[in-house]
Amino acid sequence: MRKAHSLQPKDIAEIKLYVNDITNYLINNPQPQTPYGGKFSIQYCSAAMLKFGEVGIAQFSEECIHNKELTDLMQRIEVIRDEAMDQLHAADASKLASRVEIQLHNGQTLTMQVDYPKGDPENPLTWEELCAKFMSLAVPVYGEAKALRLQNWVASLEQCNDVAQALDACLKEE
């Protein structure tokens, strides 16, 4: 919705997140105090996505977790345990559905429901999304060149006869 409607935090009057009991229990954390706490806060993750357009390693920093624009937006996010979301999960345990309603300052209301979280088998990441996530995690550890070699190696695994030997060669390559 952020991309489709060019949303910015300043456009948002309020957000209502309708969730099931599991989501409510695990990640309803309205005021995370640490980057780790932010990972278990649907309010923080929603606000960070609206502000940055992505939620990755960089968005879980001390600087971001205490960003005034984010904390202000989080105050406008209400998490509501919803019977309809509970019923969807009860009917199909793989569904951790949530519905979001965004009330804009201009009076417009935007609504969207997602039955399966992004990255679940029923709503998988694309190859491009997987590569971007991998690179964001691997580059700080291995450097860009080695991370790219590892990514390319993974892409060619089906043609590999000896995985251990090929991985060893990939990591030693300079």
Side-chain angles (χ1 to χ4, degrees):
M1 285 196 300
R2 178 191 188 270
K3 185 186 258 183
H5 299 279
S6 302
L7 295 177
Q8 296 297 314
K10 64 179 175 46
D11 303 324
I12 311 294
E14 70 175 352
I15 298 173
K16 291 183 180 178
L17 301 173
Y18 297 89
V19 301
N20 61 53
D21 184 45
I22 294 171
T23 301
N24 185 55
Y25 176 75
L26 292 176
I27 59 175
N28 184 358
N29 179 6
Q31 297 178 332
Q33 299 302 306
T34 65
Y36 185 75
K39 293 177 181 181
F40 295 93
S41 170
I42 195 170
Q43 295 90 337
Y44 178 78
C45 291
S46 299
M49 177 56 84
L50 279 163
K51 178 171 175 51
F52 300 113
E54 65 180 347
V55 182
I57 296 257
Q59 288 72 41
F60 292 106
S61 67
E62 283 291 337
E63 181 181 333
C64 285
I65 203 82
H66 298 293
N67 176 283
K68 181 153 175 43
E69 189 175 23
L70 285 178
T71 56
D72 288 348
L73 181 56
M74 287 170 53
Q75 298 303 310
R76 292 177 270 158
I77 298 175
E78 179 182 4
V79 177
I80 301 163
R81 181 174 169 206
D82 185 70
E83 184 64 32
M85 299 300 110
D86 281 337
Q87 288 175 2
L88 283 172
H89 180 67
D92 179 350
S94 68
K95 280 189 181 179
L96 289 174
S98 296
R99 187 176 73 248
V100 60
E101 288 182 5
I102 301 175
Q103 181 71 43
L104 303 178
H105 286 298
N106 69 8
Q108 184 181 9
T109 300
L110 307 172
T111 303
M112 180 178 174
Q113 181 170 313
V114 174
D115 288 343
Y116 299 98
K118 187 68 171 171
D120 273 13
E122 296 83 358
N123 188 9
L125 297 171
T126 65
W127 177 252
E128 293 75 20
E129 291 167 330
L130 281 169
C131 288
K133 183 173 183 174
F134 173 78
M135 292 299 283
S136 76
L137 297 170
V139 167
V141 176
Y142 292 108
E144 189 167 357
K146 191 178 276 188
L148 190 54
R149 284 197 312 273
L150 282 165
Q151 177 181 296
N152 292 334
W153 174 77
V154 169
S156 66
L157 269 176
E158 290 182 6
Q159 290 79 41
C160 186
N161 293 323
D162 186 331
V163 172
Q165 183 181 7
L167 178 59
D168 189 48
C170 176
L171 291 174
K172 287 181 180 175
E173 209 176 287
E174 290 300 327

